[in-house]
Each structure stands twice: as C-alpha cells, then as structure tokens.
Amino acid sequence: MITPYLWRSMLYVPANRPSRLQKCARYGADALILDLEDSVPDSEKAESRLLLKQALKEPIWDSAELYGSNGGSERVDLFVRINAMRTRYWREDLEAVIPEEIFGLKVPKVEEPAKVEELDHAISRIEKASGIEEGRTKLLLSIETAKGLLQLSAICAASARVIGVGFGSEDFMTDTGIDRDNLRYARMQMTLVVKAFGLYAQDSVYPAFSDLEGLKQETEEAKRMGMDGKTAIHPNQIETIHSVFQPSDALLEKAGEICRMAEAENGRVFNYHGEMVDRPIVERYRRLLQRSREN
Amino acid sequence: MKVDAAFPDKVVRSLEDAVERIGLGDGMTVSFHHHLREGDRVLLAVLEAVRKKGIRSLTLCASSLMRCHDGLIDFLRDGTVIRVDSSGLRGRLGQFVRQGGMKQPVILRSHGGRARAVADGERAIDIAFIAASASDIYGNANGVQGDNAFGSLGYGIWDSFQAKKTVIVTDHLSQSLLPYISISQSHTDCIAVVDSIGSRELLKAGALAEKSDPLSTVIAKNVATLLLATGIARNGSSIQMGSGGVSLKVIRYLKEAFLERGWRFRHAVGGITGGLLNALEEGWIEALMDVQSFDPAAAVSILRNRNHHEIDVNTYANPDNPSNMVNDLDIAILSALEIDLDWNVNVLTGSDGVLMGAIGGHPDVAEASKLTIVVAPLIRERIPIVVDRVRTVVTPGKDIDIFVCDWGIAVKEEREDIRRSLTEKGIRFHTMKELFEKATRLVGQVNKEETGGRPVAWVQDRRGRVLSEIYESETSGGEHR
C-alpha cells in the first residue's frame, strides 16, 4: 500500500535555537520536526515553547523548493516533537503549538494505544477552542521501546490522526540493549505493521552527521525494508537521504494519475481510490513528477 | 644567499638600494599586486624603505589592499603616501579612510578598470614593485617557483609592461634561467633580493573559503539546478565561478552532471580555486585562464599542465582590449553584499557603509558575460541583502540577469528566454520585488544614514567614470567578517 505522504526527509531543528529556526525551512528537507523534546534541556522547556510559538507566527516557513508554480511558495510541512507523554511538559506543548496550525506532532516514546487516544482527545479540545478544523493536526508516532513495538498494531489503530510511525533507534537501543548493528529486525517489524495500516514509515536519524557514506548505507537499507523516508539531524544529510529515496515506479504512476485527474477536475477536490485529494496534495505530486524528470 | 648577476647592476641586496637604484622620487606613482593576498609582506617593506630615504607624496596604485596592509595607515599619516588606488579596502585601513584619514579620495577600480587606467595614462605607473616567488639573475621572474610560489602573476605582468621602471622583489634568486617566465628580463630594471616576500600559506585568506554553512549549499544547488535544467551550462560553455563559498560548491554539483554527460567547459576564467584545478585534472574543464590563483597548488599546475594558462589582467578584463577573456564568457557567477530593486550590486561596503570588500573583476565580468548570475543569501546575520537601494553601486543593474538566493531564483524581466525555459521545466522564479518584500517581512530594512558630505572614495566604472561616492563618516561601524 502506498502512503499518500511523500516526505523523503524530515530535519530535526532544536526549538531553543532561534537562528536555526529562522533558516531551517530553506535547507531543502521535505518536512521539519521542530523539537521541544531531547534537544531542549528541562531548564529551557518553558522558554523554548514560547520561542517556538512566536517563531511559528513568523513568515519563515516557506519551502525553498525550486520546483513549483510561480506566485509564491508553499509552507513546508511542519511537525513539532512534543515531550513524551510520561513527562509533565506535553500538555503545555500542545497548548502552545496546536493553535499555530502545524501539520502534525511527532510524538516520542509511544507505548500504549490508550495514550494515543488521550492525546487525540487533548488535541481535539485545543483545535475546537482555537477554531481549527478538528482532525487537522496529524500524528507521527515514534516507537522507541520494545513495549511500543509489540503494541504497534493497536497504537496505529488508536486514532485517525495517525499518519505514520517513525523508529527511534537511540532510545530503542537504550531500552533493549540491542546494538546498532542488530536493529534490522525491529525496524523491519515496525515497517511491516505500519505498511499493513497504509501509513508512512520513517527511519531513525543517523547520528554521525559527517559520515555521509554511512548515512547512505543505512538509508539504502531503510528503503529496501520498505520505509518511506528518514529523519535528519543535520542539513548536510538531506541531500544524501533524497538521493536514496527516489520515488518508486508505482508512486510515479500514481502521481501521474493524480495530476491528470486534477487537471480534469480543474481545482476541485476529488476522490482518488478512496483518498480525498485537494490542491496541496496535487502540488506535492506535481513536484514529485518534476523532480523525477530532472533526476 | 649568494647574489650574482649576469647583469650585475640589476641585482641589489636591499629594498633601500632598489629605491635608490631605480630613481624613485617625491610625487611618483608606485604599483603593487596582491597575488600573495593576506600573505603579502612586500608592499609595507617597500614603503618602509621609501620612508627611510625621505621620499614623500607617493601615489600608491595597488591591484588590491588586504587586512595585512593595515600598516599603510602610518605611511598615510606621515605623508609618505598621499593617494591610493585599489580594488578594495578592508579592516582598519578601510575604517581610517572612511573616517576621513586621507585628504584625497581613494579611487576604487575593478581589475579591468585598473588595467585600462594604467595603460591609457589615467594612472601612469612610474615604478612597479613586483613580488615574485622566483627570479633569475637576468631578471626573468615568475610566481610558480620558490618557497613562496603563489601562482599566476597576472596583475604584475601588466604592470611590468606599463610601468616606466620595474623592480622585481624576490626571496628566490636563481643562478640559472628560469624554466617558466612570466615577466621578461626585458621589462625588469632591478632585482631586489629580500629574506621573504611573505607567506603563500595565507593565499586562500581574503577570498571566501568553502563554507560549511548549509545555506550556501542550498544556494549552490539552486544555481546548479538553474544552469543544468535550462541548458545554460552545456558542453563547450565558458564560465567564471568566483572565489566565494557558493561558487566552490557549485563546482561540485556541476562536476557530477558534466562527467555523467561527457561534457566539458571550454575554459574557466579569472580567479582560480582548488576546485577548478581539480576540474582541469578531471577533464571536465578544458583550460584555465588564470589571472589570479586562490590556491598555492596553482603554481605547480601552471608549471606542469599545458592547459593551465597564466594570463595578464589586460587579457583578462581590460575593456579597451577587444580580445579580453571576459568578452568570451557564457556564464558568470558573482557574489554580492547587497543587491537592489534595480539589480544594482554592492560588493564593497556593508549596509552601514563600512568598507569591507573589494570590487575585483565584478563589473568587468558582469558587463561582458552573456549571462550573469549573482548569488547571496537573502539575509545575512539579520541584515537584508536585497534592499531598495544599495549603498554603493559597484556593478550596474543592467549587467545582472539572475539573482539566486536561499529562497529561490529571481530572473530579470528582460530575460524572457530564461523565464520561459524555467517555466517549461517547472522551476518557479520570483521578481526582485518579491524577494525584497520577503526580506523586509523577515528582518525589516536597515535605516541607512544620510549620505553626503566629503567623499573619501570614488568607485569608478570600467571606463573611468565615477559610479558611486563613499562619504566620510565618524562611525567606524565596527569590524565585519
């Protein structure tokens, strides 16, 4: 099953670094994960939340994507990594960022479906209070423990907001004692479950950011496993990730069909085999086709 | 060091002897090159010798001045030097000039403009002091041998043709004829042997090194996409890349595409970087036309590779020379400190007016090239690069076709051919106004102080007309970059 989401790369950006927030949309990542979790020390959580909320209001999020129509560019897809639900920070994180109409949340250390349901309700309440269309804020869940991996089917089914699942290798290694060379089984298992739900499967960061050859090998492995994209911890990793995640023939065929249908529908929202397709989605597929032609 | 000579009168053991021997006197014009960039130790040493002789009121015609020349301030204060021509001013020297330290405005010219000025008599050179990393006892000299080999002697060669007298200043005197000759013994009147002409290790300083800044990677990728997708870069094109961090990264992107397609640039012109040396060796650039080397490895390349040509600055960019190489350029990639709504470019002063750069070949290349691309981030350290009006026009907007930044590409309306090509390829482009508005929304615009008052520097265009004036200001604006 092909996920409708086409992010080859998502770049982590610490929310406590204003200069990086200012620049990060232009690095060419397909989406950004603005991080309130691991890259922000406890002593800076409150300040960083405020900083991020303010930054989300600024006109700094236009995509640097060259391919597209004239007359402006689209906002890059923004995720915020909130603090884990076992901490005391996550509710305040939601209150700060949901009203800013981000694309979604990256949720770390997910282990139980009930927690996903709880999160869903909390988001709905804020969306309603903020006058935002309910269900707009999507969830990209991160599996970082053995328990989370074993519960993944139920977790995926816990909310209609869930659009994908990512693997968090560093915490997974800490939780399980498995070393990096032996994570394949867990990554593969995660991907199988995620694909069964038709969701987006995302690989973990490759922490040695100056080792582009190692990054390439790990990204190629992720692609062979069926994953759709990979997170980046440094802008210099983006190009390597993109070079590996070239779109499949099946995806290009789908993109072609959607673009042809969009032309016939002349701007109207339409149904593609059960998927509602609107303008931003069409634009994404159009870019995908243009990029692939150039490549 | 053994000092001997086929023509004994030519060789002297000190700069003071050279000054004496050559007949330097009050009010004369002396010239220097800046091939050693931040490693140059010749200019100040010569002026020290001049001062010891009690000579005053010189005009200094330098191809450029770097931070290592801050010591020039002392010679300006005591009247040893009263006029300065250069391509650029930086550091404390720039501050000194801007704060009104000189009575006579500095004349700032492009490299091509200087080549013209020294040839047509606008700035006739009496004595050219030319640092050479090697000279033989006959007076043949080059920049490619010796411990401080720096590469091309492109500015020095032309000065040796134009000056009434030429002094070669070297720390490597060969008893036998040099195997490679940049400046002929026929143009050399005196050879001054010194302990050291400077340090080749600082050759890369002053030009921008390849940046690790990811935004420069984004800009470089945008440039490469533009050049390749539109077919502007193709087999047989000629190119000048510049020495900035973005240009160095563009080389890497073009390499991949050119090697894959079996394409070659017919030549690259101008300042030669390590990336271009590699491209020559890899075979995707057929020839280098080197007026100035930005990498010490160029010295070896000039000696060994018959397709690496040392050219003088007249051949590079003199507008009065119809055979100059910039006239044959298909593509030029240039940098900017500011660019405005009329596409005028400033590469000389910061938004606060501080002298912090050099004109280099910017206006020469921009005017002559068939396509001129300016690259810069939209914003640099919270300062907008796209502005309503640049503080100092160095290159007129009429000579610029495309601006590429980290937010995308702006194409001038007149370049309908490129706009059409980009549209066909599905690549979006902006107007300069859109980028200006974007920059303004992000960081606002800088309030520029009112200009006026006494000019401290004149920026000439290639043909000697004053294009901009830089005015006296008490504020130094601090040190930049």
Side-chain angles (χ1 to χ4, degrees):
Chain A
M1 192 182 276
I2 297 173
T3 167
Y5 298 104
L6 307 171
W7 306 296
R8 298 163 297 178
S9 64
M10 286 196 195
L11 175 66
Y12 277 108
V13 186
N16 59 346
R17 304 291 291 272
S19 63
R20 293 200 197 170
L21 292 174
Q22 286 283 334
K23 294 177 182 175
C24 60
R26 286 107 78 201
Y27 293 147
D30 290 340
L32 299 170
I33 303 172
L34 311 173
D35 187 22
L36 287 167
E37 197 216 9
D38 282 351
S39 54
V40 178
D42 283 358
S43 59
E44 294 178 23
K45 294 288 187 195
E47 186 187 345
S48 299
R49 205 179 285 126
L50 285 174
L51 191 68
L52 178 58
K53 186 175 178 62
Q54 185 54 41
L56 286 168
K57 294 178 193 297
E58 290 183 30
I60 55 178
W61 305 110
D62 284 355
S63 164
E65 174 69 52
L66 274 189
Y67 291 99
S69 316
N70 288 330
S73 52
E74 301 80 24
R75 184 157 120 152
V76 69
D77 292 333
L78 296 178
F79 287 80
V80 172
R81 182 161 74 168
I82 58 171
N83 286 282
M85 291 181 73
R86 60 186 177 217
T87 71
R88 59 193 166 92
Y89 303 118
W90 70 275
R91 286 187 187 278
E92 286 177 82
D93 293 345
L94 294 192
E95 296 286 351
V97 301
I98 300 294
E100 305 309 323
E101 302 188 73
I102 55 174
F103 193 97
L105 298 174
K106 179 93 189 257
V107 188
K109 301 175 182 68
V110 177
E111 292 187 318
E112 301 167 46
K115 284 289 184 187
V116 178
E117 287 171 24
E118 184 185 351
L119 180 63
D120 187 319
H121 295 319
I123 296 170
S124 291
R125 185 182 56 73
I126 300 170
E127 284 177 337
K128 200 171 173 186
S130 310
I132 297 171
E133 176 197 352
E134 195 174 338
R136 177 200 162 99
T137 312
K138 308 299 183 196
L139 294 177
L140 180 53
L141 308 176
S142 188
I143 295 300
E144 303 176 38
T145 62
K147 187 178 170 189
L149 186 59
L150 291 179
Q151 301 243 45
L152 187 53
S153 292
I155 287 170
C156 288
S159 164
R161 294 177 187 275
V162 178
I163 48 111
V165 179
F167 189 74
S169 61
E170 299 303 315
D171 283 295
F172 196 88
M173 287 189 287
T174 306
D175 180 64
T176 60
I178 299 172
D179 67 21
R180 182 169 286 279
D181 293 338
N182 290 292
L183 287 175
R184 287 184 191 85
Y185 169 74
R187 290 160 76 208
M188 182 75 90
Q189 187 180 352
M190 184 205 85
T191 308
L192 280 173
V193 176
V194 170
K195 293 289 166 170
F197 283 85
L199 301 177
Y200 171 81
Q202 183 180 59
D203 198 24
S204 185
V205 293
Y206 186 74
F209 61 83
S210 53
D211 175 16
L212 295 182
E213 188 50 43
L215 169 68
K216 189 173 179 216
Q217 285 174 18
E218 191 174 277
T219 310
E220 284 170 343
E221 187 179 68
K223 192 184 178 195
R224 286 196 299 272
M225 286 178 181
M227 292 202 195
D228 302 298
K230 189 171 177 65
T231 47
I233 203 161
H234 190 282
N236 289 349
Q237 295 182 319
I238 294 167
E239 198 173 357
T240 302
I241 294 172
H242 287 189
S243 73
V244 174
F245 278 111
Q246 296 301 331
S248 64
D249 289 346
L251 183 57
L252 288 174
E253 196 177 319
K254 177 181 173 181
E257 279 179 32
I258 284 179
C259 289
R260 280 192 294 278
M261 286 175 75
E263 212 159 297
E265 293 293 337
N266 199 21
R268 287 184 290 272
V269 175
F270 60 94
N271 179 336
Y272 176 80
H273 302 304
E275 268 180 52
M276 293 305 289
V277 179
D278 59 7
R279 195 193 61 80
I281 294 175
V282 172
E283 188 60 32
R284 243 177 270 151
Y285 281 107
R286 191 169 286 139
R287 281 210 303 262
L288 177 83
L289 284 178
Q290 282 161 342
R291 277 197 303 242
S292 75
R293 280 190 207 112
E294 291 310 313
N295 289 330
Chain B
M1 181 183 291
K2 184 183 175 189
V3 176
D4 199 355
F7 306 100
D9 288 350
K10 270 193 179 178
V11 178
V12 297
R13 296 164 187 272
S14 72
L15 291 171
E16 284 178 64
D17 287 348
V19 168
E20 181 83 34
R21 178 78 57 87
I22 209 75
L24 183 66
D26 289 350
M28 285 187 172
T29 295
V30 292
S31 81
F32 296 87
H33 67 67
H34 69 297
H35 286 294
L36 278 154
R37 302 191 67 76
E38 291 293 1
D40 177 56
R41 299 291 174 267
V42 168
L43 187 148
L44 295 180
V46 168
L47 291 182
E48 191 58 50
V50 167
R51 177 155 62 187
K52 282 182 183 163
K53 290 284 178 190
I55 297 165
R56 295 175 56 78
S57 304
L58 296 182
T59 295
L60 173 68
C61 178
S63 57
S64 200
L65 293 166
M66 315 295 291
R67 287 175 191 280
C68 65
H69 299 125
D70 279 350
L72 176 59
I73 293 169
D74 290 342
F75 299 98
L76 295 169
R77 283 197 170 120
D78 71 11
T80 306
V81 175
I82 59 167
R83 289 188 195 84
V84 171
D85 295 3
S86 180
S87 164
L89 290 170
R90 308 167 165 90
R92 287 201 303 119
L93 180 59
Q95 289 179 25
F96 175 80
V97 169
R98 185 159 181 258
Q99 289 171 343
M102 292 184 66
K103 286 183 183 160
Q104 302 282 343
V106 172
I107 296 178
L108 296 163
R109 297 186 182 91
S110 69
H111 293 323
R114 181 181 183 276
R116 173 204 54 75
V118 301
D120 71 11
E122 180 187 309
R123 180 61 77 214
I125 299 168
D126 292 304
I127 314 289
F129 288 93
I130 299 174
S133 61
S135 172
D136 61 30
I137 53 175
Y138 303 92
N140 301 299
N142 68 40
V144 297
Q145 291 177 274
D147 291 342
N148 281 311
F150 51 78
S152 174
L153 245 174
Y155 306 119
I157 295 169
W158 187 236
D159 282 7
S160 78
F161 284 146
Q162 298 301 321
K164 293 188 183 100
K165 289 187 176 174
T166 294
V167 179
I168 296 295
V169 182
T170 188
D171 52 9
H172 180 94
L173 185 70
S174 169
Q175 303 297 310
S176 51
L177 279 163
L178 295 181
Y180 180 91
I181 295 170
S182 303
I183 292 174
S184 160
Q185 63 190 70
S186 301
H187 290 116
T188 300
D189 300 284
C190 180
I191 306 157
V193 183
V194 297
D195 289 340
S196 173
I197 59 170
S199 169
R200 67 189 301 227
E201 303 308 320
L202 296 171
L203 202 56
K204 289 180 183 176
L208 295 173
E210 183 166 349
K211 290 181 177 175
S212 59
D213 172 16
L215 279 191
S216 67
T217 305
V218 172
I219 299 169
K221 200 169 181 188
N222 289 350
V223 172
T225 303
L226 164 82
L227 290 176
L228 294 168
T230 57
I232 295 166
R234 56 184 177 272
N235 194 26
S237 306
S238 61
I239 191 164
Q240 170 150 344
M241 304 288 275
S243 60
V246 171
S247 297
L248 301 181
K249 285 183 176 171
V250 171
I251 291 174
R252 283 201 269 140
Y253 287 116
L254 292 181
K255 171 185 170 180
E256 204 174 301
F258 268 59
L259 288 178
E260 196 174 283
R261 299 168 197 191
W263 287 0
R264 303 173 87 192
F265 282 106
R266 71 175 180 275
H267 52 246
V269 179
I272 300 303
T273 59
L276 291 172
L277 295 176
N278 292 338
L280 181 69
E281 293 298 323
E282 289 154 2
W284 59 279
I285 291 183
E286 275 181 48
L288 300 179
M289 308 300 274
D290 185 347
V291 72
Q292 180 178 12
S293 309
F294 288 101
D295 193 308
V300 177
S301 176
I302 289 172
L303 269 177
R304 292 186 184 165
N305 194 325
R306 298 297 296 270
N307 291 316
H308 187 161
H309 304 279
E310 181 184 41
I311 58 170
D312 66 74
V313 68
N314 174 58
T315 307
Y316 170 51
N318 182 351
D320 286 347
N321 174 10
S323 294
N324 72 49
M325 287 305 298
V326 293
N327 282 350
D328 188 45
L329 274 172
D330 295 316
I331 303 161
I333 302 170
L334 301 169
S335 58
L337 291 173
E338 289 181 314
I339 184 165
D340 70 21
L341 288 169
D342 294 325
W343 296 74
N344 297 307
V345 176
N346 168 21
V347 289
L348 201 53
T349 57
S351 58
D352 49 5
V354 171
L355 285 154
M356 56 188 291
I359 301 172
H362 204 287
D364 304 309
V365 171
E367 182 182 276
S369 178
K370 292 181 185 69
L371 180 87
T372 301
I373 302 167
V374 167
V375 297
L378 187 68
I379 291 154
R380 193 182 274 131
E381 292 169 6
R382 307 286 298 168
I383 303 288
I385 301 305
V386 180
V387 296
D388 55 347
R389 183 172 52 87
V390 294
R391 178 176 278 273
T392 309
V393 178
V394 169
T395 298
K398 69 176 177 58
D399 296 332
I400 310 296
D401 301 297
I402 296 174
F403 174 61
V404 180
C405 68
D406 44 327
W407 289 96
I409 298 169
V411 183
K412 209 184 233 176
E413 282 181 17
E414 291 90 321
R415 293 307 301 250
E416 186 51 42
D417 54 334
I418 295 164
R419 289 178 154 226
R420 197 180 321 115
S421 181
L422 288 172
T423 303
E424 282 167 9
K425 295 290 177 183
I427 297 174
R428 63 160 61 98
F429 55 87
H430 309 273
T431 63
M432 191 62 92
K433 189 162 180 283
E434 285 168 346
L435 292 180
F436 168 75
E437 286 166 353
K438 181 88 193 170
T440 307
R441 274 201 305 280
L442 290 168
V443 292
Q445 285 287 318
V446 174
N447 285 326
K448 291 174 181 169
E449 67 180 74
E450 287 299 310
T451 54
R454 189 174 81 87
V456 295
W458 287 319
V459 178
Q460 281 191 356
D461 72 5
R462 302 179 75 196
R463 291 165 185 82
R465 294 178 289 257
V466 174
L467 196 59
S468 305
E469 292 184 320
I470 295 165
Y471 298 97
E472 183 176 341
S473 171
E474 283 305 309
T475 55
S476 68
E479 190 75 359
H480 283 246
R481 289 202 305 180

